[in-house]
Structures are given as C-alpha cells and as structure tokens.
Amino acid sequence: MTVENQRPIILTGDRPTGQLHLGHFVGSLRSRVGLQDSHHQHILLADAQALTDNADNFEKVRRNIIEVATDYLAVGIDPSKTTICVQSHLPALNELTMLYLNFVTVARLERNPTIKSEIQMRGFERDIPAGFLCYPVAQAADITAFKATVVPVGEDQIPMIEQTNEIIRRVNRQIGNDILPECKTLLSNVGRLPGFDGKAKMSKSLGNTIVLNATDKDIKKAVNSMYTDPNHLRIEDPGQVEGNVVFTYLDAFDTNKEELKELKAHYRRGGLGDGTVKKRLEGILKELIEPIRERRNELSKDPDYIMDVLQEGTRKCQIVTQNTLDEIKSGLGMFRF
Amino acid sequence: MTVENQRPIILTGDRPTGQLHLGHFVGSLRSRVGLQDSHHQHILLADAQALTDNADNFEKVRRNIIEVATDYLAVGIDPSKTTICVQSHLPALNELTMLYLNFVTVARLERNPTIKSEIQMRGFERDIPAGFLCYPVAQAADITAFKATVVPVGEDQIPMIEQTNEIIRRVNRQIGNDILPECKTLLSNVGRLPGFDGKAKMSKSLGNTIVLNATDKDIKKAVNSMYTDPNHLRIEDPGQVEGNVVFTYLDAFDTNKEELKELKAHYRRGGLGDGTVKKRLEGILKELIEPIRERRNELSKDPDYIMDVLQEGTRKCQIVTQNTLDEIKSGLGMFRF
C-alpha cells in the first residue's frame, strides 16, 4: 500500500469520439502500457470534455466510450494496474471545475494558445461554446482531482498544464497549505504520426488512419497508398527519406533500428525500390496489429466484461476525486453540514 | 400529493453575502411568505453563485448562509411549506451547468445585458472571473433542475430568464421531448427600495441599510437621517413627495394607503413637518421589525435547529435536482452503466 502510494500519479485519457488508431498507439497507448508498472495510472474516458465540441452528437460520444475502452484493453492496458474511468460519472470533477472557474479570468482563457489554435482549427470563431472556452479549467479539475503529478501530453498541450499549475498555486495560496501538488508534463519522444496519406492531421473523417483492429487487407491497402519520394521514379534513383511517409512510419514502428538505418542509407544512395520498403512496413504493421485485433475481437464478444472494468474503475475514481474535492472545499472554508 | 404537485413551482433565492435587510423584505421576502401557500416554493442559498464574485472571501459566504437562513425563518418562511437548500450541496447543479455550457456561446454570454452591467458595476472589465461570465448558465441549471416555472426577479434580471428559456428550448429540441418547462418571470410590483441615505444601491458596506434585526435605536437613527425635500425648509412650505426617501419608504411599508394618500396631499400643500412624517415611518418600521427581530433572536439561540432545517431542505432538493439531471442525461443519450 505504501509503495503503491509512493508511485507517481499519472492522469491521461482520450476524448471518446472515435476508435483509436496507430496515431494514438505511437503517441500514448504504447507508453501507457509501459508506465502502468511504475506509476499509479488513471485513464479518463473524457466524454464530458468530448461534448464541448460535440454538443450536437451525444450518441457518437456515448458509443465510443465502449470502443475506446476496448482499444485500451486490447493494447494491453491492465485494469488491475490502471484504473479506467468515465469522466461524466465523476461528479466531483464538475464541482471542482465550477469552483476553479472563479479563480480564472475570461481574458486568461482567451489567451490560452492551445484554445486559440483549436478554436481556429474547429472554425468556431465567435461561436465558441462556453464549455469549450472553459475546458482548460475542467482539465485542471481532472488533473488535480487525482492529484496527478505526471501528465503525458503533446507539445501543443503545454499551455494547458501551465494553466493547471496556475490554478493549483492559487488554490494552495488561498488555503495556505500545499494541498495540491504541481504537475509536470511527460512529453512524448516521438513526433505526431501523420495520416497514411501524408496529411499532418490523422482523422477518421479524412479516412487516413489505420485503426487498431485493421485487417491485413486494410493494412496492405493503407501502406500501398502511402506517398514516398515523388522524385524517386526508378529503383536506381537516389531517394529521400525525410517527409517520406513510409519511413516516418518505419521510424515509429520498426524496432530494429540498426537495419532501419542501413535501409535508409540504401534508399538514399539509390537501388532500393519503394515496393521493398513498403513490404517491410506492411509486415511490421501486420505483426503489431494482429494480436491487438485478435484481443479486440475477443473482448468485443464480452461487452459485460468491458462494462465491469469501467464500472469498477469509475467507482474507485469516484472515491479518489470526491476525497480531493472534500479536502479543497474544507480547506477553502466552504459550508458543511 | 397530486394537489401539491399541481402547484406552480417557484425557485428563488439569495447570494449569502450579508444579512438581509428591508430592501430584501420589500423586494422578495414579503411575497415569498405569501407565495408559499399557493406555490411549491424552493429557496436556494446560492453560496456557489456568491463565490463568482467573492472568490477571495469564502469565509464571508459560508458564515452568511446561517445568517440568511435565520432571516428567512424570522420573516415567516415556513420550512414545512418551503424547502430551503444550500446550493453548494446540490452536486447535480454543477453537472447541469457544465452540460449547458456546451449549448451556449461565449458571445451570447458576453451580450447578456445583466452580466454587462454587473461587470461594469463590479469594475471587473478585462478581469472577469470565468465563473462570473458563466453564472447565467449556472442560474439556468438552478431553475431547470427544479423545473421551476415561476421565477421572481427584478426587471434587471429579465435577460437571465431569457437565457434560461433559450437553453430550455435547446435541450428540449435536442431530446425531442419537452422535458423542461419554460419559465416565466414574476416581476415585483414594488420598485427597488433605496438606501436610507437616498442612494439607489442599498448595501451593508455603504451603511445605508436597515437589517431585519435592527433595534429601535437603529431604526430611529436611520429614519432621522433620511433625506426629505431639501426645499421644504419651513413646515408651512409646500413639500415634494417624489424622490423624498421618507415617502418612498412609506409607500413600501405603510399599509394604510388611504391615510398615506391624505398625508402626501397635506405635505404637498404645506403645513406638514418632516418630523411628523418621520415619526409615522419610524412607528411603522418598529412595529414591522419588532416581531422579526424577536423571532430572529430566539432562532439564533438554536443554531442546531437552523442546521436541521437546511439539512432537511437540502436533502429533499438533492433528490429533485438529481432526478432532473438523470432525466436530461438519459434524454440526451449520455453514457449509463
């Protein structure tokens, strides 16, 4: 118990808006499987946060909670080591968010670079849902409710963590006691995986993702359609590795770094055909996905088990988050019966 | 039970930031005592809302919950007819607010005339706490959680009710079922009582209020210091009634309208001294406040009783608000175990 509590607490999660894909695998899932042995890891299925830009599609968010949970278990997230929970079933998070909203100005939220760029990306402009503007505060509630000290994020999310730490300092200062620990980002050491069409953004709607239960046929099709070096017309021509989607994927998934290095050198000096490189990638992806797909198919046959895992994880997290909320409310001097 | 349920549901309440005073008595308390027989009345001690502009003073808000509850009971709010509850102990309200924030744009909140003028009044300018900007949404959560159809407000609060009805229509439309009834304002037929110094704003910090447990000495002092007509120098001079604070108070508190009419006519034509009019007002206020003060003093001796009333009212309201939340979440298609 003591040892368990001394492990750093990680909070991570996903907006359940679609099945997870290889981009998630590289960006987060793979490392979560590793981290669950050394950390006290909580994974939040952030359905409430997903609604901040999906208010017209509750059905999509609801449905994908089970899909994403199945993805977690399929890649090897172990519910005996990691608690997986459903955000909308942790009422303490709402109460904490509402409390924190009093500690943050509107101007500060509007200055948040992540929010700024996401507003642009989603084309919200003046029609920003208030929930969307406030979601960095909701995220601060998530992180602090778990007293997480380690938050795995992409570089674009760093301002969210800064916002969280500002709130933490404000709360601690007002209470006069460091109830909440500050949190640190755990930056991924791999870059964002592009879509297999080479577009920076991977999304289901663009049809450029490889999902975690992709069939061999899906994988073959995706790899074959990948852009390589447009100037590498004949096998004997020197080819470019940078910006070549096949090599970007090999960088992410090929575990034999020595062979990959030689392959790149060969491609650069000429004499290595795209077909050969694609074949290698196809083999690697098939090998990676096959066991995940099989576990996923098995898990899909037992929806009750998925629900049990979610219910049990959520129950545990309700206790943790409610305890933090009580501690903060009492520290701030709120009314108690 | 059926009859009870057929009564119109009223939601009303106060931000517990100070003891209530004669302004509250005229503006709301008096009519609440009347309404509790014909309506299903809930009174919310809006401590969470009070924090939206008191984030640096939790202690003040906490302390005043008991003060204001004591005021309610002292003026005749009957807990067997009216449920009195503490907002921060109704977690469903936070969850509803967070949900509704997704249905309202930031631009819409910024356009809210009540918020606009309150921002100015409080001197927030660019430093508006996010919680303050969002409080109309929180208020919509309050009203809808109780399915209130009648909301007593001042004219300045009409835009808040419009905002609430917009949210109600949006939620009903999305659910495809009129789960939430629209609400109507119940406008007070008396104007806002000025401070006894004549200032439009009555506030404890300005020291121009008469609290509900004012002593006879306090009342005498307040009435004596009231501005009358500055041109009414000699008793025989004609005096002006309009803008004359003593008459404004008589309009609010003198129940003998016939005599008051004659008194005004006499004052207008001259021959009636300020002292006589003040004496009348002093008598009326003493008679009004004496029983309230005595009940208040009695009640103050039994804080456990006040706590019991609040706890019992809050428990009832937890059930009501949680039921509405469940109904809305289920209607919108949110995830359930």
Side-chain angles (χ1 to χ4, degrees):
Chain A
M1 190 65 189
T2 317
V3 174
E4 173 74 1
N5 283 341
Q6 282 168 349
R7 290 181 182 184
I9 299 171
I10 287 197
L11 179 70
T12 173
D14 298 280
R15 297 186 178 199
T17 53
Q19 248 188 274
L20 302 186
H21 50 61
L22 283 184
H24 299 105
F25 185 82
V26 169
S28 58
L29 298 176
R30 191 163 53 178
S31 61
R32 287 179 195 169
V33 174
L35 289 164
Q36 66 187 344
D37 290 313
S38 52
H39 290 69
H40 198 145
Q41 183 169 255
H42 305 282
I43 304 184
L44 196 61
L45 282 157
D47 59 337
Q49 195 190 111
L51 293 173
T52 64
D53 62 336
N54 287 281
D56 53 352
N57 204 341
F58 278 66
E59 156 66 15
K60 177 175 86 176
V61 174
R62 182 180 57 73
R63 189 170 22 87
N64 278 300
I65 288 174
I66 300 295
E67 292 301 324
V68 174
T70 312
D71 285 329
Y72 290 158
L73 300 177
V75 298
I77 299 291
D78 177 348
S80 75
K81 297 175 179 170
T82 295
T83 48
I84 307 174
C85 61
V86 181
Q87 190 185 37
S88 67
H89 285 255
L90 302 176
L93 300 182
N94 297 298
E95 203 163 337
L96 263 188
T97 305
M98 293 294 290
L99 208 50
Y100 291 170
L101 281 174
N102 301 320
F103 294 141
V104 179
T105 66
V106 176
R108 176 67 184 85
L109 289 177
E110 287 173 343
R111 273 201 314 271
N112 186 314
T114 314
I115 287 292
K116 265 185 170 170
S117 77
E118 289 190 358
I119 283 171
Q120 211 163 21
M121 201 174 81
R122 286 170 173 77
F124 280 146
E125 289 162 23
R126 288 304 291 163
D127 288 337
I128 314 159
F132 191 80
L133 185 74
C134 297
Y135 102 73
V137 180
Q139 218 164 46
D142 299 340
I143 294 169
T144 55
F146 286 97
K147 296 193 176 181
T149 54
V150 181
V151 187
V153 290
E155 290 225 21
D156 54 332
Q157 296 284 310
I158 294 176
M160 309 297 266
I161 302 303
E162 286 167 356
Q163 173 73 81
T164 298
N165 280 329
E166 278 176 33
I167 292 174
I168 287 172
R169 286 190 289 269
R170 166 71 199 255
V171 170
N172 286 343
R173 196 168 59 236
Q174 186 143 340
I175 293 178
N177 190 352
D178 287 351
I179 281 187
L180 299 175
E182 290 199 32
C183 61
K184 286 193 185 70
T185 56
L186 178 68
L187 283 173
S188 169
N189 52 9
V190 285
R192 190 183 280 260
L193 196 69
F196 63 72
D197 59 357
K199 288 207 176 101
K201 193 172 147 50
M202 245 193 174
S203 88
K204 207 181 167 183
S205 57
L206 294 174
N208 63 358
T209 64
I210 301 174
V211 291
L212 296 179
N213 58 349
T215 60
D216 282 357
K217 209 176 138 193
D218 296 334
I219 295 168
K220 188 184 189 72
K221 201 177 150 196
V223 173
N224 280 343
S225 72
M226 280 181 185
Y227 283 93
T228 53
D229 172 3
N231 297 318
H232 184 241
L233 298 173
R234 292 168 307 178
I235 291 179
E236 58 268 36
D237 288 341
Q240 199 172 326
V241 163
E242 290 72 27
N244 183 319
V245 182
V246 182
F247 279 101
T248 309
Y249 271 64
L250 282 171
D251 275 335
F253 297 103
D254 196 336
T255 50
N256 192 330
K257 297 300 171 197
E258 204 49 50
E259 271 185 38
L260 179 57
K261 204 173 150 189
E262 279 167 32
L263 204 71
K264 284 179 178 177
H266 190 177
Y267 193 79
R268 280 193 180 104
R269 70 178 178 263
L272 182 58
D274 284 346
T276 312
V277 192
K278 284 187 170 179
K279 206 78 211 159
R280 182 183 178 94
L281 176 60
E282 188 188 327
I284 289 168
L285 293 185
K286 280 181 177 169
E287 203 179 328
L288 171 73
I289 285 183
E290 188 190 8
I292 300 177
R293 182 180 62 229
E294 283 179 4
R295 273 198 301 274
R296 210 186 182 288
N297 290 345
E298 276 311 302
L299 287 160
S300 296
K301 289 178 198 153
D302 193 359
D304 286 353
Y305 170 69
I306 310 279
M307 282 297 259
D308 284 349
V309 166
L310 289 183
Q311 194 153 18
E312 177 59 15
T314 303
R315 197 192 54 76
K316 282 185 192 162
C317 294
Q318 278 167 350
I319 297 169
V320 174
T321 55
Q322 188 62 47
N323 284 347
T324 306
L325 174 66
D326 289 344
E327 204 182 346
I328 291 173
K329 284 173 79 174
S330 150
L332 287 169
M334 283 185 77
F335 181 82
R336 315 193 69 157
F337 283 111
Chain B
M1 192 62 189
T2 317
V3 173
E4 174 72 2
N5 283 340
Q6 281 169 351
R7 290 181 179 182
I9 300 171
I10 287 197
L11 180 70
T12 174
D14 297 280
R15 296 185 179 200
T17 52
Q19 249 187 275
L20 302 186
H21 49 63
L22 283 185
H24 298 105
F25 184 82
V26 168
S28 57
L29 297 176
R30 192 163 53 178
S31 61
R32 288 180 195 168
V33 174
L35 289 165
Q36 65 186 346
D37 290 313
S38 52
H39 290 69
H40 199 146
Q41 183 170 253
H42 305 282
I43 303 184
L44 197 60
L45 283 156
D47 60 336
Q49 195 190 110
L51 292 173
T52 64
D53 62 337
N54 286 282
D56 52 353
N57 204 342
F58 278 66
E59 157 65 15
K60 177 176 85 177
V61 174
R62 181 178 59 71
R63 190 170 21 87
N64 278 301
I65 288 173
I66 300 296
E67 293 300 324
V68 174
T70 312
D71 285 329
Y72 290 158
L73 300 176
V75 297
I77 298 291
D78 177 348
S80 75
K81 296 175 181 172
T82 295
T83 48
I84 306 173
C85 60
V86 181
Q87 189 184 37
S88 67
H89 285 256
L90 302 176
L93 300 181
N94 297 298
E95 204 164 336
L96 262 188
T97 305
M98 294 294 290
L99 208 50
Y100 292 170
L101 281 174
N102 301 321
F103 294 140
V104 180
T105 66
V106 176
R108 177 67 185 86
L109 289 176
E110 286 173 343
R111 273 199 315 271
N112 185 314
T114 314
I115 287 292
K116 264 184 170 171
S117 77
E118 290 190 357
I119 282 171
Q120 211 164 20
M121 201 174 83
R122 287 171 172 78
F124 279 147
E125 289 160 23
R126 289 303 293 161
D127 289 336
I128 313 158
F132 191 80
L133 185 73
C134 297
Y135 102 73
V137 181
Q139 218 164 44
D142 299 341
I143 294 168
T144 56
F146 287 98
K147 297 194 176 181
T149 53
V150 181
V151 187
V153 290
E155 289 226 20
D156 54 330
Q157 296 281 312
I158 293 177
M160 309 297 266
I161 302 304
E162 286 168 357
Q163 173 75 79
T164 298
N165 280 329
E166 279 175 33
I167 292 174
I168 287 172
R169 286 190 289 269
R170 167 70 199 255
V171 169
N172 286 343
R173 197 167 58 238
Q174 186 143 342
I175 293 180
N177 190 351
D178 287 352
I179 282 187
L180 299 175
E182 290 198 32
C183 61
K184 286 192 186 67
T185 56
L186 179 67
L187 284 173
S188 169
N189 53 6
V190 286
R192 190 183 280 261
L193 195 70
F196 63 72
D197 59 357
K199 286 205 178 106
K201 193 171 147 53
M202 248 195 172
S203 88
K204 207 181 169 183
S205 57
L206 294 173
N208 63 356
T209 65
I210 301 174
V211 291
L212 297 178
N213 59 348
T215 61
D216 282 357
K217 208 177 139 193
D218 296 333
I219 296 167
K220 190 184 187 69
K221 202 178 150 198
V223 173
N224 281 341
S225 74
M226 279 182 187
Y227 284 94
T228 53
D229 172 3
N231 298 316
H232 185 241
L233 299 172
R234 291 168 307 176
I235 292 180
E236 57 269 33
D237 287 339
Q240 199 173 324
V241 163
E242 291 70 29
N244 184 319
V245 182
V246 182
F247 280 102
T248 309
Y249 271 65
L250 282 172
D251 275 333
F253 298 103
D254 197 334
T255 50
N256 193 331
K257 297 299 171 198
E258 205 47 49
E259 272 185 39
L260 178 57
K261 205 174 148 186
E262 280 167 31
L263 205 72
K264 283 179 179 177
H266 191 177
Y267 192 81
R268 281 193 180 106
R269 70 177 177 264
L272 181 59
D274 285 347
T276 313
V277 193
K278 284 189 169 176
K279 208 75 209 161
R280 182 182 179 93
L281 176 60
E282 188 188 327
I284 290 168
L285 292 185
K286 279 181 175 168
E287 204 179 325
L288 172 73
I289 286 184
E290 189 191 7
I292 299 177
R293 181 181 61 231
E294 283 180 2
R295 274 199 300 272
R296 210 187 182 288
N297 290 343
E298 276 310 302
L299 286 160
S300 295
K301 289 177 196 152
D302 193 358
D304 286 351
Y305 170 69
I306 311 279
M307 282 298 259
D308 284 349
V309 166
L310 289 183
Q311 194 153 16
E312 177 58 13
T314 302
R315 197 192 53 74
K316 282 184 192 164
C317 294
Q318 278 167 350
I319 296 169
V320 173
T321 55
Q322 188 62 47
N323 283 346
T324 307
L325 175 65
D326 289 345
E327 205 182 345
I328 291 173
K329 284 173 78 174
S330 148
L332 288 169
M334 284 186 77
F335 181 82
R336 314 193 71 157
F337 283 112

